[in-house]
Amino acid sequence: MVVTKQENQTEITEFHLVGFVGLGDLQVPVFCLFLLIYLVTMVGNILIILLVVIDPQLHTPMYLFLGNLSCLEICYSSNILPMILANVLYGGQRTISVIGCILQHCLFGLLAATECCLLVAMSYDRYVAICKPLHYTILMNNRVCLQFIAGSWIHSSFIMSIILYLMGQLKFCGPSEINHFFCELHPILKIACSDTHLIELVTISLSALCILFPFFLTLASYILIISTIMKMSSVSGRKKAFSTCSSHLMVVSIFYGTMIIVYVLPKTDVLQNINKVLSLFYTIVTPLFNPLIYSLRNREVKEALRKAVEKLYLFL
Ligand SMILES: *[C@@H]1O[C@H](CO)[C@@H](O)[C@H](O)[C@H]1NC(C)=O
């Protein structure tokens, strides 16, 4: 470990992630489980991107959003899951540099904040399609879609550069153990030896802005959609639309709900261990289920998949 002297304190330059220490006999099954989750996440999301890119019928805002969401999920899982796998395998032996850890957290934050914006855009797209079908092409077209996507990235980059700057100022002088399975904000702040009041205040306000605000917008869109669906005359159409919406609403609530508990609620010792489990939901479960829930239950995507498989057969 590299040690430098500064202000009479030994500054540490490497962290140990000890979130998965002491698994014992469970080490191999847990490793296999996470590996499987990673592979399924990658395959599911890559499949969606391929379908959206290949099939011209899927070049509509809804599917462009989905394709972009899948790209995002791939980066998101690849930022976190390989590290979890290494930690399960090596226990607390593996180290990560302080800078690497801060960058990992900020990349995670960037992708998560962008995902929040994309989820708003996707629910707005469905709201316009279902509640204002006559205005759909004016309110939502490929250009608006591009603006939404670019806006999401710019907004999140701006927010995360503030956090990156503040985290870059932190000093660490031990202990070097982070009680988590990836470089999560609060476990890092807990072991910092500089004053963390400012960064805590800033992250709480920014996460409220980036999580609560999109959450309420998404929720509002789905409530309007569901109330419109309830007024539909066809029972089968009502059932189908309702089941689609409620499954979207479920993954969205899990994603936002767990993030709100971890980032926005006050930090107490009781919540600490629960938060470790909750963060599994927004880091691992959402990227795994999003492609399944948003696409593979969808008739047009199934049709595109069937056509693609047929083409592949002819080709072979
Ligand atoms: C992401 O969105 C942009 C802008 O709408 C679109 O051009 C691009 O094809 C999308 N990417 C994927 C993989 O769907």
Side-chain angles (χ1 to χ4, degrees), residues 122-136:
M122 290 171 76
S123 64
Y124 175 71
D125 168 70
R126 287 302 84 203
Y127 160 74
V128 176
I130 293 173
C131 305
K132 306 216 175 303
L134 299 179
H135 301 121
Y136 187 76

Side-chain angles (χ1 to χ4, degrees), residues 119-120 122-124 126-127 130-131 215-229 241-242 244-253 256 294:
L119 291 175
V120 174
M122 290 171 76
S123 64
Y124 175 71
R126 287 302 84 203
Y127 160 74
I130 293 173
C131 305
F215 174 59
F216 287 123
L217 286 179
T218 313
L219 202 61
S221 303
Y222 280 117
I223 289 173
L224 291 173
I225 293 171
I226 288 174
S227 71
T228 306
I229 290 171
F242 187 75
T244 312
C245 271
S246 49
S247 55
H248 287 195
L249 200 55
M250 203 174 69
V251 283
V252 162
S253 314
Y256 285 121
Y294 279 100

Side-chain angles (χ1 to χ4, degrees), residues 49 52-53 64 67-68 71 142 145-146 149:
I49 296 174
V52 170
V53 169
L64 293 180
N68 278 272
C71 288
N142 290 2
C145 174
L146 183 64
I149 291 168

Side-chain angles (χ1 to χ4, degrees), residues 43-44 46-48 50-52 54-55 57-58 295-313:
V43 169
I46 289 174
L47 195 63
I48 288 169
L50 286 179
L51 286 179
V52 170
I54 291 170
D55 199 319
Q57 273 187 320
L58 299 186
S295 323
L296 301 178
R297 296 192 50 180
N298 178 302
R299 192 161 35 80
E300 278 167 318
V301 174
K302 278 187 199 146
E303 185 64 19
L305 187 61
R306 198 181 56 75
K307 275 192 296 188
V309 171
E310 267 171 18
K311 263 191 215 151
L312 198 65
Y313 264 123

